[in-house]
Amino acid sequence: MNTLSGIVAASTIQPGAGAEKIRAIALLLLIIPITVFANFLRVTSLVLIAYYGGVDRMEGPLHDLTGVALFVVAVVLMFLADGAISLLMKLFGRRSTRLVTP
């Protein structure tokens, strides 16, 4: 839950108007799927550690490290999503329809 609240806080810092608002809303909507995916990776890694290394190995520093890795993965995915949204907005953004008169 701390990861989700941290990413929400980081993504709402950017005020903007127009296209920037669309970008901020898109990032806000992507927070939950990104957090769920990062948490899925953490749980999967903990299950694999417990299965192959034993429950004793899972408890302790590895459990804490997977929490840090969860946050890093979520932040990296947010940066990648922001870059993808920016690229899509440049490609499919509004183009001027004014006629140029000589």
Side-chain angles (χ1 to χ4, degrees):
M1 194 59 157
N2 290 337
T3 303
L4 179 62
S5 60
I7 293 174
V8 168
S11 69
T12 56
I13 289 173
Q14 307 171 358
E20 290 298 316
K21 266 190 183 174
I22 294 171
R23 184 171 137 207
I25 290 170
L27 283 173
L28 197 63
L29 292 175
L30 285 172
I31 287 173
I32 292 176
I34 286 174
T35 306
V36 168
F37 178 72
N39 200 21
F40 171 76
L41 290 178
R42 179 182 187 214
V43 170
T44 302
S45 66
L46 285 173
V47 167
L48 290 173
I49 290 169
Y51 182 76
Y52 289 109
V55 177
D56 295 337
R57 192 168 292 222
M58 181 189 69
E59 296 173 352
L62 278 179
H63 192 268
D64 297 334
L65 270 174
T66 57
V68 173
L70 163 78
F71 183 75
V72 170
V73 167
V75 169
V76 168
L77 287 174
M78 281 299 293
F79 279 121
L80 290 174
D82 184 39
I85 291 169
S86 295
L87 182 65
L88 288 173
M89 289 180 73
K90 285 180 184 175
L91 290 175
F92 299 110
R94 294 182 184 162
R95 293 182 176 86
S96 177
T97 57
R98 287 184 287 165
L99 294 175
V100 178
T101 56

